[in-house]
Structures are given as C-alpha cells and as structure tokens.
C-alpha cells in the first residue's frame, strides 16, 4: 500500500505570482489528540480544525516561539484552545457545554484570539477578532483585520476509513496569501486577476482532497495550480507533544493558599492535577520550607 507521509506542513509559492501558502496534513497527530481526549462530533471537528490552523500559522513563524489559538464563546463549544511550539509541536483541547442545545450555534458570540509569544527578543503579539460562525471564518477575519493580508483558507476534519484498518481521524488544510512582491506594486491589474483566479481555485478544494491519505499534498497543489507552476519548499514535520511537567504543576500549586489546596484534595487527602491537554496526572506535596 502506498501511503504518503503524514503530519507536516508543506510551504509553497505560485511561480511568478504574488501568492504563497502552505498545505497541512495531519494523520497520527489528529488521531492522537482527538482520540486521546475521547472526542467525537463537535469537539473532534473543532480540535482538528484548530490543530490545522495553528500548524499552518505556526510553521510560518520566522523565529522560535509559541503560537496559541483560543476562543471563548457562548455556543456549544465554550472554549477551543490549540497551540504550536516551533519547530512543530501541537496540542489542543475543546470544552463543550454539556447543557447546550444540539441546535445551538457552534461557537456562538465571543472572541477568537491568536497570541504569538517569541522565545526571546521580540514582544508578545495578540490579535483578537469576534467569533463569526466557524473557526475558519474567525481565522479569515483575523487575517483581514490584524494582518491585513488577503487570505484564502480551507480546512477539513473527518474520520477516514482505510481498508483493513480502524477509521482514523484526519485533519487538513490549505492557506494561500497574497504577498507584495519586493519593490513591486500592489495594484497591478494582472496581479488582481491572478488573485481572483487563485481564490476561485481555492474555493474548489474539498474536504476529500484535504483528507485523502492517498492524495499527496504535491498532487493537490499540482491539481490546483499546475497552469501557473507551483514550487514547494521543505516540508515541516508536525508532532503531538505536551508542555506539561511536574515542575510547572509545582510552580502553579505552590502559589495556592492552603485552603485552596484543601479544595483540590481527593477523599484520600492527596492532591492531584490532571493536564487538560494530554491527560497526564501529577501529584503534589507542598515543600516543607514553603509552609
Ligand atoms: Zn500535558
């Protein structure tokens, strides 16, 4: 069986045009995150979409750091969080309101925030837009408002059945951005025509193309942009990894008062903290010197 390598972001540029982008394909990573949480339905879809978005954006960072997507809203999913740590670690968690009506809006009213924390040197950056329907629409609103870069984006999440194997969650996406050529003019008419045409091509990208494990990212790009010529760059691997650690838990819980800690005790009197991203559990004992 020929099966393409999964879990990467593939940057590309359209030859001679002021447009570049990337394709993300998440197989084992999407499966690990969605299945690890036991998600299905809305939570699975949102986690996969969020992973795709942070992978596409994080892989484009020009410095080391962390990119975080976070929504807060009054819809069925009250919170979606995903982050990307350079060069390619991702994780995600989705909070679904168990009391929400099944026909309630997916994300509802609220905010969509993207935060970029460089490891050193530069300042933290945060862009916030209002939630607008889907994560994809919110991400597009972010590009328009915060970055002012014309952007086309398609993302998809689904369970894909490979013969002889259990169904696997997969997530994928493609982003295309119009970039100003160095020293060039932004308003040349031919470029506008190109951009409109590229946008029309991007609108044709279906979930099957983004998720099909037998269609490579290169084949998808060729299908879309072969008339123009498309150049691909080195793929960036993406993997699931969590940043939780005993030291981080100790650091947080040591700042709690004794009363606050007592509230966390199990009936047996132990204090345990569970990482909401990966499910790891950490015990905690206040150091004798701290009390
Ligand atoms: Zn963790």
């Amino acid at each position: 069986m020929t099966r393409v390598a999964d879990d990467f972001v593939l940057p590309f540029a359209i030859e001679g045009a002021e447009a570049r982008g990337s394709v993300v394909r998440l197989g084992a990573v999407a499966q690990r995150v969605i299945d690890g949480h036991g998600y299905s339905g809305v939570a699975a879809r949102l986690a996969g979409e969020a992973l795709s978005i942070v992978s596409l954006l994080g892989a484009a960072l020009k410095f080391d750091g962390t990119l975080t997507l976070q929504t807060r809203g009054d819809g069925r999913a009250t919170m979606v969080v995903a982050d990307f740590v350079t060069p390619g670690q991702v994780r995600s968690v989705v909070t679904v309101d168990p009391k929400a009506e099944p026909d309630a809006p997916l994300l509802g009213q609220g905010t969509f925030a993207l935060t970029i924390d460089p490891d050193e040197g530069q300042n933290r950056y945060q862009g916030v837009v209002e939630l607008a329907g889907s994560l994809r629409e919110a991400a597009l609103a972010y590009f328009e408002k915060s970055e002012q870069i014309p952007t086309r984006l398609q993302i998809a999440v689904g369970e894909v059945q490979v013969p002889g194997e259990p169904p696997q969650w997969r997530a994928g996406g493609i982003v295309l951005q119009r970039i100003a050529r160095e020293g060039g003019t932004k308003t040349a008419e031919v470029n506008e025509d190109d951009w409109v045409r590229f946008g029309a091509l991007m609108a044709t990208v279906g979930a099957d193309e983004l998720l099909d494990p037998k269609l490579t990212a290169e084949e998808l790009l060729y299908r879309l942009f072969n008339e123009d010529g498309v150049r691909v760059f080195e793929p960036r691997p993406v993997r699931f990894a969590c940043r939780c650690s005993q030291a981080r838990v100790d650091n947080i819980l040591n700042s709690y008062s004794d009363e606050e800690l007592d509230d966390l005790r199990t009936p047996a009197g132990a204090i345990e903290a569970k990482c909401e991203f990966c499910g790891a559990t950490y015990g905690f004992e206040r150091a004798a010197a701290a009390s």
Side-chain angles (χ1 to χ4, degrees):
M1 179 169 52
T2 57
R3 201 155 166 194
V4 298
D6 263 332
D7 299 320
F8 61 83
V9 172
L10 183 71
F12 67 89
I14 299 176
E15 298 280 6
E18 297 167 353
R20 57 172 60 216
S22 33
V23 176
V24 61
R25 308 295 295 260
L26 300 177
V29 168
Q31 174 69 17
R32 167 64 181 83
V33 172
I34 293 170
D35 217 36
H37 286 296
Y39 289 161
S40 59
V42 165
R45 185 175 130 205
L46 289 171
E49 289 183 355
L51 289 169
S52 296
I53 293 171
V54 296
S55 298
L56 289 169
L57 297 181
L61 288 178
K62 303 269 190 294
F63 46 82
D64 289 336
T66 303
L67 179 142
T68 307
L69 176 163
Q70 177 156 24
T71 73
R72 283 178 187 282
D74 61 4
R76 292 167 69 189
T78 51
M79 194 172 73
V80 179
V81 181
D83 60 24
F84 178 103
V85 181
T86 55
Q89 286 183 23
V90 293
R91 57 182 195 170
S92 178
V93 63
V94 176
T95 308
V96 173
D97 179 359
K99 298 192 294 288
E101 300 290 334
D103 58 351
L106 188 62
L107 297 166
Q109 308 253 312
T111 53
F112 170 101
L114 275 174
T115 310
I116 297 168
D117 280 305
D119 286 344
E120 53 193 34
Q122 299 165 68
N123 290 329
R124 186 169 190 259
Y125 167 81
Q126 186 172 60
V128 182
V129 293
E130 282 181 22
L131 282 173
S134 64
L135 279 187
R136 171 180 169 273
E137 286 165 299
L140 285 169
Y142 164 84
F143 285 119
E144 196 169 301
K145 189 181 159 203
S146 290
E147 299 199 341
Q148 301 189 327
I149 304 173
T151 302
R152 298 289 179 269
L153 171 71
Q154 298 290 352
I155 48 178
V157 181
E159 271 187 299
V160 175
Q161 182 74 54
V162 177
E165 290 179 32
Q168 294 272 312
W169 283 103
R170 296 182 59 82
I174 181 169
V175 67
L176 185 73
Q177 297 196 301
R178 185 176 183 177
I179 47 159
R181 199 188 307 234
E182 270 177 49
T185 58
K186 274 186 174 172
T187 51
E189 215 162 86
V190 60
N191 300 332
E192 185 62 32
D193 289 349
D194 275 348
W195 180 247
V196 169
R197 190 163 53 80
F198 296 153
L201 289 167
M202 286 287 288
T204 68
V205 179
D208 52 337
E209 293 175 297
L210 295 174
L211 301 179
D212 183 354
K214 295 187 291 301
L215 178 72
T216 68
E218 286 86 351
E219 285 165 345
L220 171 61
L221 290 172
Y222 182 80
R223 222 181 242 188
L224 289 171
F225 303 118
N226 68 316
E227 279 181 29
D228 298 278
V230 57
R231 186 150 60 103
V232 298
F233 302 95
E234 202 55 27
R236 314 276 178 86
V238 177
R239 67 192 179 90
F240 167 79
C242 197
R243 287 182 283 140
C244 64
S245 67
Q246 184 71 53
R248 277 172 190 256
V249 169
D250 290 351
N251 204 16
I252 294 166
L253 292 184
N254 268 321
S255 71
Y256 281 33
S257 70
D258 287 342
E259 292 72 29
E260 286 172 320
L261 284 179
D262 283 341
D263 288 344
L264 299 177
R265 286 185 195 278
T266 64
I271 297 171
E272 280 181 354
K274 187 176 177 189
C275 174
E276 61 178 356
F277 284 96
C278 72
T281 4
Y282 297 93
F284 176 75
E285 293 291 336
R286 170 107 62 194
S291 55

